[in-house]
Amino acid sequence: SPIILAANQQRMTELGGEIADGVIFNGNVPLGFLETTGKEWLRTGFERAGRPGAGFSMGVGRMSGISEDREYGYELARRSMAGYLEVPYFRKIMGAQGFEAELEIGYAAVLANDKKAQVASITDEMVDAICIAGTPDEALAKLRKYEGVVDSISLGGGAAMTVPPEQRIAHAHVVIDILKELKGR
């Protein structure tokens, strides 16, 4: 059986390159990170172990917000991302992508236990950096940007923060339909 490591920071990613058959990056790393830093860290691991890296699998998780109502899709994605404001490595990675001001506002909301402000601190640009959000057509176009970058995408279907269960379930069905369409092409 292949060994696949979960990764998002440097040491775990390098270790994946050294000993594993693949990695799956956490859903909070942007596409640009995968194309550059993530691949550099893997190469360091390959070189350390004297491995060519051939046959190595690279995947990523993605939060999503997909709806015929584009704004609602983005709101679902914001609600998924908002919980990550509590996680130091999320703030480190997203800060390196130029979102320092937004993260400062969001983390202040975390400290104040203000869930509404926490969600509101997530901008559309932040959503676009690490989520698949928007209309179904937009979601398909965004997923296609990962072709040639990763071998697999694990697409999360449910916003966790302040979304009632019935809305999470309905959204999960939309995600399933998108994946069926993508796979069927």
Side-chain angles (χ1 to χ4, degrees), residues 35-117:
E35 294 171 314
T36 58
T37 305
K39 287 189 176 186
E40 289 169 21
W41 289 349
L42 285 171
R43 275 193 298 277
T44 298
F46 296 147
E47 290 169 6
R48 192 176 295 147
R51 298 174 61 188
F56 191 85
S57 172
M58 189 168 115
V60 67
R62 280 291 166 248
M63 293 173 268
S64 67
I66 305 167
S67 173
E68 291 295 339
D69 177 349
R70 183 179 192 278
E71 292 307 312
Y72 179 68
Y74 270 75
E75 182 64 17
L76 287 174
R78 259 189 285 289
R79 291 177 185 198
S80 290
M81 285 182 69
Y84 275 101
L85 290 166
E86 301 171 21
V87 181
Y89 67 77
F90 172 78
R91 294 191 309 272
K92 177 181 175 184
I93 290 171
M94 290 299 285
Q97 298 296 316
F99 296 108
E100 296 91 352
E102 296 91 334
L103 293 166
E104 187 175 321
I105 293 166
Y107 191 59
V110 168
L111 295 176
N113 198 29
D114 185 342
K115 301 295 186 195
K116 187 174 180 181

